[in-house]
Amino acid sequence: MNDSSWGAPPQAGHWRPPEMGPVQGPASAGPAYDEPAAQQTRPMPIVPEVPDAGDGEPMPSTPSPQQPAQPHKAPRKKRAGRDLRAAIGVGVGLGVVIAASLFIVKAAFIGVIVIAVVVGLWELTSRLAERKEIKAPLVPLAVGGTAMVVAGYVRGPEGAWVAMALTALAVLVWRMAEPPDGYLRDVTAGVFAAFYVPFLATFVALMLTADDGPQRVLTFLLLTVVSDTGAYAIGWRFGKHKLAPRISPGKTREGLLGAVSFAMAAGALCMQFMIDDGTWWQGLLLGLAVAASATLGDLGESMIKRDLGIKDMGTLLPGHGGIMDRLDSLLPTAPVVWLLMVIFVGS
């Protein structure tokens, strides 16, 4: 889920003092867009502080004597900030792949998780190297992440923990082949990446091991998507009060209320009709927890991207960004849903 998901994105502009005259058009995109071999991720737009005229609109600059005053333009219509057609098409395609792997051959969904984990690790380590010169070793992370998901499915939580410990050890040993400068920084980032992407994704595999595993995984995915959709719909239409402006300026408190209400309603329906021995009131609690964890996960990755100075982690999914831009709310939600499912209806 991206920063633009909960409301209209801020319009990037370019402002000069009045004595220099108004500047026509947007600011230069910078050297990252001037070279053909520019990196694929989009830089985070920098929005300057503009004096407020009192009604929420930027105060217009005074025209210089050499330039005539520009005619007043009508305010632009609020836009979503994403290519919705591409986003919907990609979302439908991913939904078909997930549904087919879940309900035709249950174990095939483990392959889907592994692919998402490896691509997500590649995006994360690539951005760390490009923007911060942090060299988190991808090979032990990819191998260890695959082992985590498979071990969680075959051996349960104990297998996932053992694979996580071995992956951390492999990261420490692998990095020893490089010069010692930055060793602590690189291995710290590597262990963080191992926990953040594959270990949290392992809880999806744990959900799948139950007798009604496909229904549990589908409930987890539906509630997270519905939470994001509710936040987008309500925040885009009614959002006025910022939720965390320093982290993600596009998110609003109204969007959070939309996420909670949509997720609780969907949770009640899913637990009542899809989960064995589930009840509607359990679904209300589950939906509330999903909305909270999905929001925190989204804000967490927004912090990472803001620190890196990028808008998206990648460009693999048109209209969405990269794989990590779709996993941001799913990853921290997986252990929450797995735990509540175990408490409510058992493992």
Side-chain angles (χ1 to χ4, degrees):
M1 186 170 165
N2 298 281
D3 288 349
S4 60
S5 299
W6 285 27
Q11 297 292 331
H14 188 55
W15 182 82
R16 290 187 181 179
E19 62 272 11
M20 299 179 66
V23 178
Q24 305 298 325
S28 172
Y33 290 108
D34 296 334
E35 297 293 336
Q39 65 180 26
Q40 296 299 313
T41 51
R42 296 187 295 164
M44 178 73 72
I46 300 176
V47 183
E49 296 293 337
V50 182
D52 193 3
D55 56 354
E57 296 294 331
M59 181 177 294
S61 58
T62 306
S64 61
Q66 293 80 10
Q67 290 182 314
Q70 298 295 320
H72 178 70
K73 295 183 179 180
R76 292 184 178 181
K77 187 178 180 180
K78 185 183 288 188
R79 300 182 62 185
R82 289 280 172 180
D83 186 343
L84 289 182
R85 290 185 179 180
I88 292 173
V90 170
V92 170
L94 291 175
V96 171
V97 171
I98 290 171
S101 60
L102 268 177
F103 293 100
I104 296 177
V105 181
K106 187 168 76 169
F109 187 69
I110 299 300
V112 175
I113 301 175
V114 168
I115 292 173
V117 162
V118 172
V119 176
L121 285 170
W122 170 71
E123 289 181 346
L124 180 59
T125 56
S126 297
R127 302 296 86 78
L128 290 174
E130 291 171 0
R131 310 297 295 186
K132 296 290 187 178
E133 297 184 354
I134 298 175
K135 301 176 181 178
L138 178 60
V139 173
L141 286 174
V143 174
T146 301
M148 267 185 252
V149 175
V150 174
Y153 182 71
V154 176
R155 303 295 297 176
E158 296 83 1
W161 276 113
V162 171
M164 173 65 198
L166 292 176
T167 301
L169 180 60
V171 168
L172 269 66
V173 174
W174 188 279
R175 179 57 180 79
M176 289 179 183
E178 300 290 333
D181 293 342
Y183 176 80
L184 183 60
R185 175 198 63 190
D186 295 344
V187 298
T188 301
V191 173
F192 163 74
F195 175 83
Y196 181 43
V197 184
F199 183 74
L200 293 182
T202 299
F203 287 92
V204 184
L206 293 176
M207 279 185 253
L208 194 61
T209 61
D211 293 336
D212 58 346
Q215 288 80 6
R216 296 191 186 198
V217 173
L218 185 60
T219 297
F220 152 69
L221 295 173
L222 284 176
L223 292 189
T224 308
V225 171
V226 166
S227 173
D228 288 353
T229 302
Y232 171 84
I234 302 301
W236 181 79
R237 181 65 180 85
F238 302 104
K240 294 181 180 179
H241 303 89
K242 301 298 183 182
L243 178 66
R246 292 188 177 183
I247 301 175
S248 182
K251 293 175 179 56
T252 62
R253 299 174 189 175
E254 292 81 3
L256 177 59
L257 292 177
V260 170
S261 58
F262 276 52
M264 291 181 70
L269 294 174
C270 289
M271 286 297 292
Q272 184 69 37
F273 297 108
M274 291 178 58
I275 304 301
D276 296 341
D277 300 324
T279 58
W280 63 270
W281 65 266
Q282 295 171 340
L284 293 178
L285 297 178
L286 182 63
L288 177 62
V290 166
S293 61
T295 301
L296 291 175
D298 193 8
L299 291 174
E301 191 178 341
S302 293
M303 283 285 286
I304 296 173
K305 292 189 290 188
R306 189 163 290 275
D307 185 28
L308 296 177
I310 58 177
K311 177 66 176 175
D312 296 321
M313 281 289 189
T315 58
L316 184 62
L317 304 177
H320 295 268
I323 287 289
M324 286 301 298
D325 297 300
R326 293 298 86 199
L327 296 180
D328 55 0
S329 55
L330 291 169
L331 289 172
T333 303
V336 173
V337 174
W338 173 79
L339 179 61
L340 289 178
M341 287 284 188
V342 171
I343 294 174
F344 290 152
V345 296
S347 59

